[in-house]
mmCIF file with all atom_site columns, all heavy atoms in Angstrom:
data_model
loop_
_atom_site.group_PDB
_atom_site.id
_atom_site.type_symbol
_atom_site.label_atom_id
_atom_site.label_alt_id
_atom_site.label_comp_id
_atom_site.label_asym_id
_atom_site.label_entity_id
_atom_site.label_seq_id
_atom_site.pdbx_PDB_ins_code
_atom_site.Cartn_x
_atom_site.Cartn_y
_atom_site.Cartn_z
_atom_site.occupancy
_atom_site.B_iso_or_equiv
_atom_site.pdbx_formal_charge
_atom_site.auth_seq_id
_atom_site.auth_comp_id
_atom_site.auth_asym_id
_atom_site.auth_atom_id
_atom_site.pdbx_PDB_model_num
ATOM 1  N N   . LEU A 1 113 ? 78.757 -182.289 2.657   1.00 98.00 ? 271 LEU A N   1
ATOM 2  C CA  . LEU A 1 113 ? 78.203 -181.111 1.998   1.00 98.00 ? 271 LEU A CA  1
ATOM 3  C C   . LEU A 1 113 ? 77.077 -181.504 1.098   1.00 98.00 ? 271 LEU A C   1
ATOM 4  O O   . LEU A 1 113 ? 77.215 -182.407 0.251   1.00 98.00 ? 271 LEU A O   1
ATOM 5  C CB  . LEU A 1 113 ? 79.268 -180.395 1.144   1.00 98.00 ? 271 LEU A CB  1
ATOM 6  C CG  . LEU A 1 113 ? 80.348 -179.537 1.805   1.00 98.00 ? 271 LEU A CG  1
ATOM 7  C CD1 . LEU A 1 113 ? 81.205 -180.382 2.743   1.00 98.00 ? 271 LEU A CD1 1
ATOM 8  C CD2 . LEU A 1 113 ? 81.211 -178.884 0.732   1.00 98.00 ? 271 LEU A CD2 1
ATOM 9  N N   . TRP A 1 114 ? 75.945 -180.826 1.243   1.00 98.00 ? 272 TRP A N   1
ATOM 10 C CA  . TRP A 1 114 ? 74.828 -181.015 0.367   1.00 98.00 ? 272 TRP A CA  1
ATOM 11 C C   . TRP A 1 114 ? 74.804 -179.741 -0.550  1.00 98.00 ? 272 TRP A C   1
ATOM 12 O O   . TRP A 1 114 ? 74.578 -178.669 -0.055  1.00 98.00 ? 272 TRP A O   1
ATOM 13 C CB  . TRP A 1 114 ? 73.523 -181.199 1.114   1.00 98.00 ? 272 TRP A CB  1
ATOM 14 C CG  . TRP A 1 114 ? 72.247 -180.890 0.389   1.00 98.00 ? 272 TRP A CG  1
ATOM 15 C CD1 . TRP A 1 114 ? 72.043 -180.750 -0.924  1.00 98.00 ? 272 TRP A CD1 1
ATOM 16 C CD2 . TRP A 1 114 ? 70.975 -180.681 1.056   1.00 98.00 ? 272 TRP A CD2 1
ATOM 17 N NE1 . TRP A 1 114 ? 70.723 -180.451 -1.201  1.00 98.00 ? 272 TRP A NE1 1
ATOM 18 C CE2 . TRP A 1 114 ? 70.047 -180.434 0.003   1.00 98.00 ? 272 TRP A CE2 1
ATOM 19 C CE3 . TRP A 1 114 ? 70.540 -180.672 2.356   1.00 98.00 ? 272 TRP A CE3 1
ATOM 20 C CZ2 . TRP A 1 114 ? 68.682 -180.134 0.258   1.00 98.00 ? 272 TRP A CZ2 1
ATOM 21 C CZ3 . TRP A 1 114 ? 69.189 -180.452 2.609   1.00 98.00 ? 272 TRP A CZ3 1
ATOM 22 C CH2 . TRP A 1 114 ? 68.291 -180.174 1.549   1.00 98.00 ? 272 TRP A CH2 1
ATOM 23 N N   . ASP A 1 135 ? 70.500 -178.944 -19.397 1.00 98.00 ? 293 ASP A N   1
ATOM 24 C CA  . ASP A 1 135 ? 71.429 -179.971 -19.839 1.00 98.00 ? 293 ASP A CA  1
ATOM 25 C C   . ASP A 1 135 ? 71.707 -180.868 -18.614 1.00 98.00 ? 293 ASP A C   1
ATOM 26 O O   . ASP A 1 135 ? 72.396 -180.449 -17.676 1.00 98.00 ? 293 ASP A O   1
ATOM 27 C CB  . ASP A 1 135 ? 72.706 -179.398 -20.406 1.00 98.00 ? 293 ASP A CB  1
ATOM 28 C CG  . ASP A 1 135 ? 73.553 -180.359 -21.093 1.00 98.00 ? 293 ASP A CG  1
ATOM 29 O OD1 . ASP A 1 135 ? 73.512 -181.564 -20.733 1.00 98.00 ? 293 ASP A OD1 1
ATOM 30 O OD2 . ASP A 1 135 ? 74.284 -179.976 -22.034 1.00 98.00 ? 293 ASP A OD2 1
ATOM 31 N N   . LEU A 1 149 ? 83.704 -179.648 -10.589 1.00 98.00 ? 307 LEU A N   1
ATOM 32 C CA  . LEU A 1 149 ? 82.913 -180.486 -9.718  1.00 98.00 ? 307 LEU A CA  1
ATOM 33 C C   . LEU A 1 149 ? 83.702 -181.739 -9.277  1.00 98.00 ? 307 LEU A C   1
ATOM 34 O O   . LEU A 1 149 ? 83.642 -182.145 -8.108  1.00 98.00 ? 307 LEU A O   1
ATOM 35 C CB  . LEU A 1 149 ? 81.601 -180.882 -10.391 1.00 98.00 ? 307 LEU A CB  1
ATOM 36 C CG  . LEU A 1 149 ? 80.629 -181.694 -9.512  1.00 98.00 ? 307 LEU A CG  1
ATOM 37 C CD1 . LEU A 1 149 ? 80.278 -180.971 -8.225  1.00 98.00 ? 307 LEU A CD1 1
ATOM 38 C CD2 . LEU A 1 149 ? 79.339 -181.986 -10.302 1.00 98.00 ? 307 LEU A CD2 1
ATOM 39 N N   . GLY A 1 207 ? 65.840 -167.949 -25.619 1.00 97.00 ? 365 GLY A N   1
ATOM 40 C CA  . GLY A 1 207 ? 64.504 -168.159 -25.137 1.00 97.00 ? 365 GLY A CA  1
ATOM 41 C C   . GLY A 1 207 ? 63.424 -168.088 -26.203 1.00 97.00 ? 365 GLY A C   1
ATOM 42 O O   . GLY A 1 207 ? 62.247 -168.223 -25.892 1.00 97.00 ? 365 GLY A O   1
ATOM 43 N N   . ILE A 1 213 ? 66.060 -178.525 -32.466 1.00 97.00 ? 371 ILE A N   1
ATOM 44 C CA  . ILE A 1 213 ? 67.224 -178.293 -31.627 1.00 97.00 ? 371 ILE A CA  1
ATOM 45 C C   . ILE A 1 213 ? 68.465 -178.456 -32.479 1.00 97.00 ? 371 ILE A C   1
ATOM 46 O O   . ILE A 1 213 ? 68.702 -179.527 -33.023 1.00 97.00 ? 371 ILE A O   1
ATOM 47 C CB  . ILE A 1 213 ? 67.201 -179.329 -30.483 1.00 97.00 ? 371 ILE A CB  1
ATOM 48 C CG1 . ILE A 1 213 ? 66.018 -179.111 -29.588 1.00 97.00 ? 371 ILE A CG1 1
ATOM 49 C CG2 . ILE A 1 213 ? 68.515 -179.238 -29.679 1.00 97.00 ? 371 ILE A CG2 1
ATOM 50 C CD1 . ILE A 1 213 ? 65.860 -180.168 -28.472 1.00 97.00 ? 371 ILE A CD1 1
ATOM 51 N N   . ALA A 1 302 ? 59.175 -193.630 -8.077  1.00 92.00 ? 460 ALA A N   1
ATOM 52 C CA  . ALA A 1 302 ? 60.181 -193.263 -7.127  1.00 92.00 ? 460 ALA A CA  1
ATOM 53 C C   . ALA A 1 302 ? 60.998 -194.517 -6.693  1.00 92.00 ? 460 ALA A C   1
ATOM 54 O O   . ALA A 1 302 ? 62.225 -194.461 -6.545  1.00 92.00 ? 460 ALA A O   1
ATOM 55 C CB  . ALA A 1 302 ? 59.524 -192.603 -5.913  1.00 92.00 ? 460 ALA A CB  1
ATOM 56 N N   . LEU A 1 396 ? 66.291 -177.192 10.454  1.00 96.00 ? 554 LEU A N   1
ATOM 57 C CA  . LEU A 1 396 ? 65.879 -176.012 11.256  1.00 96.00 ? 554 LEU A CA  1
ATOM 58 C C   . LEU A 1 396 ? 65.577 -174.889 10.350  1.00 96.00 ? 554 LEU A C   1
ATOM 59 O O   . LEU A 1 396 ? 64.538 -174.240 10.366  1.00 96.00 ? 554 LEU A O   1
ATOM 60 C CB  . LEU A 1 396 ? 66.951 -175.640 12.249  1.00 96.00 ? 554 LEU A CB  1
ATOM 61 C CG  . LEU A 1 396 ? 66.686 -174.433 13.116  1.00 96.00 ? 554 LEU A CG  1
ATOM 62 C CD1 . LEU A 1 396 ? 65.557 -174.717 14.080  1.00 96.00 ? 554 LEU A CD1 1
ATOM 63 C CD2 . LEU A 1 396 ? 67.967 -174.013 13.956  1.00 96.00 ? 554 LEU A CD2 1
ATOM 64 N N   . GLY A 1 499 ? 79.186 -156.301 -0.543  1.00 98.00 ? 657 GLY A N   1
ATOM 65 C CA  . GLY A 1 499 ? 80.592 -156.108 -0.602  1.00 98.00 ? 657 GLY A CA  1
ATOM 66 C C   . GLY A 1 499 ? 81.377 -156.495 0.654   1.00 98.00 ? 657 GLY A C   1
ATOM 67 O O   . GLY A 1 499 ? 82.555 -156.178 0.806   1.00 98.00 ? 657 GLY A O   1
ATOM 68 N N   . ALA A 1 604 ? 83.458 -168.647 24.885  1.00 96.00 ? 762 ALA A N   1
ATOM 69 C CA  . ALA A 1 604 ? 84.188 -167.704 25.710  1.00 96.00 ? 762 ALA A CA  1
ATOM 70 C C   . ALA A 1 604 ? 85.531 -167.301 25.092  1.00 96.00 ? 762 ALA A C   1
ATOM 71 O O   . ALA A 1 604 ? 86.227 -168.158 24.525  1.00 96.00 ? 762 ALA A O   1
ATOM 72 C CB  . ALA A 1 604 ? 84.412 -168.297 27.086  1.00 96.00 ? 762 ALA A CB  1
#
Side-chain angles (χ1 to χ4, degrees):
L271 283 62
W272 159 18
D293 192 330
L307 183 57
I371 296 174
L554 180 67

